[in-house]
Amino acid sequence: MTERWTPHATVAAVVYQDNKFLMVEEISDGQRVINQPAGHIEKDEAILDAVVRESIEETGWNVKPEQLVGLYTYTAPANGVTYHRYCVSATPIAAVPDARLDDGIIGPRWMTIEELRDCPNLRSQMVLTCVEDFLAGKRFPLDVIVEHP
């Protein structure tokens, strides 16, 4: 039997306010890393709902998805898994009182583009690519994402 290749569908939020990006400091493979609020889309979950859920679970911030920044693929050298990422820009609404963050999350960090460019421990190259694309003005209306029930 031929092995079936299945990419992992994920979302990431680029949340920008006051010249800073909302990031997540987390533990991945035993290392402290910086990522966007991001994660897997769950079974029967809409893509934009996943963006909101992951933002709350990883940063404690409720966000409003605004535009699609881009679609990205990345094959992680550590495990050989290919990730397909829907990167969405989002506006921060408010911190969620008493939000319970996912296991492995240290907490949210607001970082400037300079801090991100100088950061030696980004979770993957997609982190900076998504932010740079956002700053370059790459945006598409959310209705380009079509999900059939």
Side-chain angles (χ1 to χ4, degrees):
M1 179 195 304
T2 304
E3 183 180 337
R4 183 177 173 177
W5 175 74
T6 304
H8 291 224
T10 63
V11 295
V14 174
V15 182
Y16 188 64
Q17 178 174 269
D18 299 328
N19 295 315
K20 291 187 177 182
F21 293 92
L22 178 61
M23 306 304 290
V24 177
E25 186 172 8
E26 62 187 348
I27 302 295
S28 177
D29 295 324
Q31 303 292 319
R32 287 174 87 114
V33 296
I34 298 294
N35 197 8
Q36 279 108 358
H40 287 85
I41 301 166
E42 295 180 356
K43 183 176 177 15
D44 299 323
E45 182 177 41
I47 292 166
L48 299 180
D49 291 343
V51 171
V52 173
R53 178 186 52 76
E54 286 291 350
S55 295
I56 292 170
E57 290 177 356
E58 295 198 348
T59 69
W61 276 85
N62 191 10
V63 300
K64 179 183 177 203
E66 298 288 348
Q67 295 177 303
L68 178 69
V69 175
L71 304 172
Y72 302 83
T73 61
Y74 173 73
T75 301
N79 61 13
V81 173
T82 298
Y83 297 91
H84 287 194
R85 174 184 272 201
Y86 296 82
C87 184
V88 174
S89 67
T91 301
I93 297 172
V96 177
D98 302 319
R100 183 179 165 169
L101 303 182
D102 283 346
D103 290 341
I105 302 295
I106 297 166
R109 286 186 54 190
W110 288 93
M111 299 176 70
T112 65
I113 185 59
E114 292 81 12
E115 290 170 322
L116 287 170
R117 287 176 180 150
D118 291 341
C119 185
N121 58 333
L122 296 178
R123 178 144 184 188
S124 78
Q125 62 196 35
M126 282 194 298
V127 174
L128 190 56
T129 301
C130 289
V131 169
E132 295 283 7
D133 284 353
F134 172 84
L135 289 174
K138 292 185 179 180
R139 310 273 203 304
F140 304 91
L142 291 176
D143 64 6
V144 301
I145 301 171
V146 178
E147 297 185 83
H148 294 281

